[in-house]
Each structure stands twice: as structure tokens, then as C-alpha cells.
């Protein structure tokens, strides 16, 4: 059986990357083959190196513009022969050219129930808005900001205290389960975008 090759892009501490490495890497035919970042000193790159996975940084200021940066990133991902590109806390907007190069092959994890609270600081936006339920979304990436077809969502009640740290830790725990679950489903070939309605994602039964 040929393996399902996953590349991960991350800018920060990489706890979502770690969940992927711990729960999926080297199991059931899934391999993490490359981890990229815009930040050369991201802890995510250290976690990848520790797991023996190839890494590379693509700092924005090393390129003339975003399109060239994403061109280099895309070439590297193609060389790694990645089947799926996972954005796990990748804090750069990807160019339209990059997104079109990998149609329905990029997924992102977002700390809110989209389409509510897209963009930066989704947890702060939800608290500010006064919602009682928020959650986590895994979606395919399209040319918009957090606007692509939704693969999985899980709701999380806002704690009565409305304490940010408490909500953040509940969201992160959920992300660490939901993102690997989505990748596992995609790797198993059970996730399909509807032929008539490109917003709709079908999950085939086991
Ligand atoms: C996650 O909350 C993700 O949803 C957001 O950035 C955070 C990344 O955390 N986009 P980590 O680097 O995986 O720890």
C-alpha cells in the first residue's frame, strides 16, 4: 500500500503539529513528509526535526513578494510529493496562485465555528461578541479568508466564567482531536466535495 503523504505548515508553537505527529505519523499508511514555516525559529520546526521530518522556512522578507514566496513553497511541497497540505497555525495568507495549485488539497484548522469569526483572534472575537457556544472548524482552503468548504466542526460551550485561558485550553484540546480526525478521513478517501455544490463536503461511511 502506498503511503498518504502529509505536509504541515505552522508558524507557532506547533501543538497541532505535535498532535498530528503523535496520532498519525507512521500509522495506517500516513506519513508526515515535510513541515514548513514562515518563521525560521518556530517551535513547530523543532518538533518536526525531533520526529525526523524534513523542514524548511520560507520567511516572507526573503522573497520579492508573496507570489514568489508561495511559488518556492509550492515547488518544495511538490518535491515532497505531498498528497495533503495541512495549515496548523500557519499565520500567512496564501496567494491565490498557491491555493489554485492545490485544489481541495489544503486544509486549515480554525478556532471558531465558521462562518462565525473568521480571521485573526477568533477566540477573542467570540468572547467579545458574547456567544455562549463556539468551537473548532476544519475546512478546505479556498481563495478567501477561512471561507472554504467545511470538513468537520465541533461545538464548545463558552465557560460561565468567560475566562479566556479556560476557553483557549478547551479549544486547543478539541483542535488536537478534530484535525487528526479530519486528516485520517481524508487519507482514507472518505471525504468528497459535492459535484454540484462545491461548498458541501460529504463524509462517506466507513
Ligand atoms: C491554533 O489555535 C489554530 O487554530 C490557530 O493557531 C493556533 C496554533 O496553535 N490558527 P499551535 O501552533 O498548533 O500550538
Amino acid at each position: 500500500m502506498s503511503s498518504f503523504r502529509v505536509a504541515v505548515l505552522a508558524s507557532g508553537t506547533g501543538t497541532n503539529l505535535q498532535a498530528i505527529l503523535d496520532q498519525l505519523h507512521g500509522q495506517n499508511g500516513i506519513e508526515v513528509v515535510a513541515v514548513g514555516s514562515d518563521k525560521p525559529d518556530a517551535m513547530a520546526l523543532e518538533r518536526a526535526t525531533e520526529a525526523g521530518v524534513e523542514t524548511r522556512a520560507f520567511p516572507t522578507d526573503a522573497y520579492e513578494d508573496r507570489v514568489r514566496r508561495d511559488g518556492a513553497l509550492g515547488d518544495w511541497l511538490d518535491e515532497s510529493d505531498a498528497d495533503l497540505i495541512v495549515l496548523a497555525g500557519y499565520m500567512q495568507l496564501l496567494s491565490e496562485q498557491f491555493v489554485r495549485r492545490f485544489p481541495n488539497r489544503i486544509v486549515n484548522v480554525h478556532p471558531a465555528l465558521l462562518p462565525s469569526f473568521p480571521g485573526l483572534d477568533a477566540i477573542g472575537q467570540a468572547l467579545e461578541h458574547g456567544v455562549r457556544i463556539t468551537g473548532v472548524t476544519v475546512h478546505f482552503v479556498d481563495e478567501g479568508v477561512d471561507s472554504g468548504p467545511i470538513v468537520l466542526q465541533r461545538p464548545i460551550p463558552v465557560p460561565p466564567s468567560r475566562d479566556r485561558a479556560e476557553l483557549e485550553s478547551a479549544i486547543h484540546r478539541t483542535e488536537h482531536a478534530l484535525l487528526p480526525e479530519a486528516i485520517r478521513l481524508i487519507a482514507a478517501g472518505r471525504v468528497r466535495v459535492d459535484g454540484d455544490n462545491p461548498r458541501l463536503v460529504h463524509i462517506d461511511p466507513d
Side-chain angles (χ1 to χ4, degrees):
M1 188 180 84
S2 67
S3 65
F4 186 84
R5 299 169 70 82
V6 175
V8 180
L9 302 181
S11 303
T13 50
T15 61
N16 279 287
L17 166 67
Q18 193 65 55
I20 293 166
L21 290 168
D22 293 346
Q23 296 174 44
L24 303 178
H25 183 48
Q27 298 169 51
N28 302 310
I30 299 175
E31 299 291 334
V32 178
V33 293
V35 174
S37 184
D38 54 318
K39 304 256 182 304
D41 56 355
M43 203 200 289
L45 295 182
E46 288 172 37
R47 293 178 191 269
T49 303
E50 185 74 21
V53 176
E54 194 188 328
T55 65
R56 194 167 302 176
F58 295 84
T60 304
D61 59 13
Y63 297 89
E64 220 166 294
D65 55 30
R66 204 149 57 93
V67 172
R68 285 199 177 79
R69 178 202 64 189
D70 287 357
L73 176 61
D75 290 346
W76 183 64
L77 293 169
D78 267 344
E79 277 163 35
S80 76
D81 215 8
D83 296 297
L84 183 71
I85 300 160
V86 178
L87 309 186
Y90 185 62
M91 300 309 285
Q92 294 288 329
L93 282 181
L94 290 162
S95 60
E96 283 177 26
Q97 288 86 341
F98 184 93
V99 173
R100 281 198 227 109
R101 185 168 175 176
F102 302 101
N104 290 334
R105 283 173 55 203
I106 313 171
V107 290
N108 180 44
V109 62
H110 184 74
L113 289 179
L114 291 169
S116 291
F117 315 124
L120 291 175
D121 192 22
I123 298 175
Q125 290 186 56
L127 285 170
E128 183 69 21
H129 194 88
V131 296
R132 296 184 185 279
I133 295 179
T134 183
V136 172
T137 302
V138 178
H139 63 94
F140 284 117
V141 172
D142 67 8
E143 286 91 340
V145 176
D146 299 324
S147 58
I150 290 167
V151 181
L152 292 179
Q153 289 189 300
R154 193 155 294 163
I156 298 167
V158 175
S161 63
R162 306 196 72 78
D163 179 67
R164 184 178 172 119
E166 202 181 321
L167 178 57
E168 248 169 20
S169 90
I171 284 186
H172 286 144
R173 266 197 313 278
T174 301
E175 287 183 333
H176 299 162
L178 203 69
L179 183 57
E181 188 178 326
I183 297 167
R184 208 178 285 122
L185 287 167
I186 294 168
R190 291 174 53 196
V191 176
R192 286 180 297 117
V193 177
D194 191 278
D196 295 324
N197 177 0
R199 288 231 47 93
L200 189 61
V201 174
H202 298 284
I203 313 249
D204 294 330
D206 203 353

